[in-house]
Amino acid sequence: MNFDFGWYDKDGKPLHMLRAAELLADLAYKRIGFDLLPNGYLVSTVWLGLNHQWGEGPPLIFETMVFDEMLPGFDWDHPGEPSESTDQDMQRYATLAEAEAGHRAMCAKWIEKRAPLLICEQCGKPFDPDEG
């Protein structure tokens, strides 16, 4: 079993941890895709840098996640970093090309989904606005 927890740049080349920290602070470098879909889901793809492969195979250094941006805790001041939103879906990739294609595929998958439930500001419970 492979337990390589090394750091890699976007080209998949090994990277020193200190350089990785600098790149992680650079939103333009780490953000691959960011789409708020019309139905309220947020699809975000980022470069992780740190290998997330928990077995055999190439280092997984990119990740796409889908968030429900309507839940309390979504930070509109830092939309690339949903804080307490609920993640709905996730996929990891080894290459930038896979991450870009994966982001487009995740957007296509989630754009047809039903809009997430809203949260009542008074009671904090989810509700469906279509059901009155």
Side-chain angles (χ1 to χ4, degrees), residues 26-107:
D26 182 353
L27 183 60
Y29 185 87
K30 73 178 181 178
R31 181 179 284 168
I32 308 305
F34 182 85
D35 287 282
L36 180 58
L37 304 179
N39 58 5
Y41 290 105
L42 172 66
V43 181
S44 174
T45 301
V46 296
W47 164 78
L48 300 169
L50 183 64
N51 180 14
H52 283 69
Q53 178 65 266
W54 292 95
E56 298 300 319
L60 298 178
I61 57 173
F62 298 93
E63 179 178 81
T64 296
M65 292 189 76
V66 178
F67 298 93
D68 175 350
E69 58 85 16
M70 293 185 178
L71 290 177
F74 186 81
D75 187 351
W76 279 106
D77 292 327
H78 301 93
E81 303 171 10
S83 54
E84 295 180 25
S85 295
T86 302
D87 58 306
Q88 304 291 325
D89 205 345
M90 187 272 295
Q91 183 67 45
R92 291 188 177 137
Y93 318 96
T95 69
L96 178 58
E98 290 174 358
E100 291 169 336
H103 181 86
R104 289 188 300 272
M106 196 71 81
C107 286

Side-chain angles (χ1 to χ4, degrees), residues 4 8 13 18-20 22-23 32 56 73-74 77 84 93 100 108-109 114-115 130:
D4 170 20
Y8 296 86
K13 296 179 180 141
L18 295 177
R19 179 65 181 137
E22 292 172 356
L23 292 172
I32 308 305
E56 298 300 319
F74 186 81
D77 292 327
E84 295 180 25
Y93 318 96
E100 291 169 336
K109 175 181 175 181
R114 187 166 186 250
D130 295 333

